Amino acid sequence: SQKIEQNSEALNIQEGKTATLTCNYTNYSPAYLQWYRQDPGRGPVFLLLIRENEKEKRKERLKVTFDTTLKQSLFHITASQPADSATYLCASHTGGFKTIFGAGTRLFVKA
Amino acid sequence: GAGVSQSPRYKVTKRGQDVALRCDPISGHVSLYWYRQALGQGPEFLTYFNYEAQQDKSGLPNDRFSAERPEGSISTLTIQRTEQRDSAMYRCASSLASRSNTGELFFGEGSRLTVL
């Protein structure tokens, strides 16, 4: 079945460093991937979308890459801040009507 | 409204009771999704509407779960004869465009269901 996998272990980094989160997909070839941020007790909030023909997308301190050979997307936050601490979710349309989500990776940025 | 509105925010019910969860999407949004989210997990797809048509219900766990969106706006997710395993956060999301879109999903704050 179509799956999105994210590293379930929390990522702890120091303020000012670059955080890199990984999203891998299996058993399908998504036309695009989305990244969402989710704070505790809140609904996910959309951050970025990258299409399969785009290798890289940037928005302020965020950068997303899409490698169709590795079946992987990387999500980078540069110059990380404690306010970036949250869970980050990778999502994708499966070609039907579903948008499926990974389990998310928790990021902790220490001051 | 300004965002996706869900009600009730919290619902505690006894096993065997029916519950109805409501979602009011952003005005004009064609697509509406229901998800279920367990603690520490990503949202799990339940069902999808395009206007009033339920076009995918493959994620509904069993026939105790049903959803409707009769006028293409407000949607109701109904769980009959609730069981303890139904306890979860139920999230609704809406999107401006329809099937072929790459549109972002706008999520509500969710309805936390607890079945005793």
Side-chain angles (χ1 to χ4, degrees):
Chain A
S1 62
Q2 298 153 331
K3 281 186 182 177
I4 289 180
E5 295 175 335
Q6 296 182 254
N7 188 350
S8 58
E9 290 185 14
L11 180 63
N12 290 280
I13 64 168
Q14 198 66 37
E15 182 176 13
K17 301 294 186 184
T18 295
T20 298
L21 287 67
T22 304
C23 172
N24 295 290
Y25 55 91
T26 55
N27 298 328
Y28 75 117
S29 297
Y32 64 88
L33 290 166
Q34 297 177 334
W35 284 88
Y36 289 77
R37 169 183 173 141
Q38 186 170 26
D39 290 290
R42 308 300 298 275
V45 175
F46 174 82
L47 295 174
L48 276 173
L49 176 149
I50 184 166
R51 300 174 193 275
E52 62 178 340
N53 61 350
E54 297 174 317
K55 290 208 180 320
E56 182 179 297
K57 196 81 158 290
R58 292 177 184 262
K59 178 183 176 183
E60 298 172 352
R61 295 185 294 111
L62 309 180
K63 184 179 85 170
V64 175
T65 62
F66 194 167
D67 189 325
T68 56
T69 301
L70 294 178
K71 293 184 179 292
Q72 182 180 84
S73 174
L74 298 180
F75 176 83
H76 306 272
I77 305 175
T78 58
S80 59
Q81 304 166 0
D84 295 327
S85 298
T87 296
Y88 292 87
L89 298 159
C90 178
S92 169
H93 208 246
T94 61
F97 300 102
K98 292 180 186 179
T99 295
I100 62 173
F101 285 79
T105 299
R106 288 204 72 183
L107 172 66
F108 295 97
V109 181
K110 294 180 288 187
Chain B
V4 177
S5 177
Q6 292 187 246
S7 61
R9 291 291 310 279
Y10 302 92
K11 177 70 176 178
V12 180
T13 191
K14 291 184 178 178
R15 184 164 49 99
Q17 297 294 306
D18 297 350
V19 297
L21 308 177
R22 173 188 162 119
C23 173
D24 193 351
I26 293 173
S27 178
H29 277 200
V30 168
S31 299
L32 186 145
Y33 297 79
W34 281 100
Y35 287 87
R36 181 169 66 178
Q37 188 171 21
L39 200 61
Q41 296 296 313
E44 174 195 8
F45 173 84
L46 295 178
T47 187
Y48 164 78
F49 289 86
N50 183 38
Y51 294 101
E52 71 281 359
Q54 187 175 23
Q55 297 195 304
D56 189 332
K57 56 181 181 179
S58 62
L60 295 177
N62 50 61
D63 60 8
R64 294 186 298 105
F65 287 73
S66 63
E68 63 174 8
R69 193 186 185 197
E71 297 178 2
S73 179
I74 292 170
S75 177
T76 302
L77 177 69
T78 301
I79 309 172
Q80 295 179 310
R81 305 180 302 282
T82 52
E83 301 178 5
Q84 287 184 326
R85 60 179 171 155
D86 299 334
S87 297
M89 176 69 81
Y90 289 84
R91 295 197 186 276
C92 175
S94 68
S95 179
L96 182 59
S98 60
R99 180 193 168 173
S100 61
N101 84 98
T102 57
E104 63 184 278
L105 299 185
F106 292 82
F107 281 85
E109 293 301 319
S111 292
R112 166 75 66 188
L113 174 64
T114 302
V115 182
L116 302 176

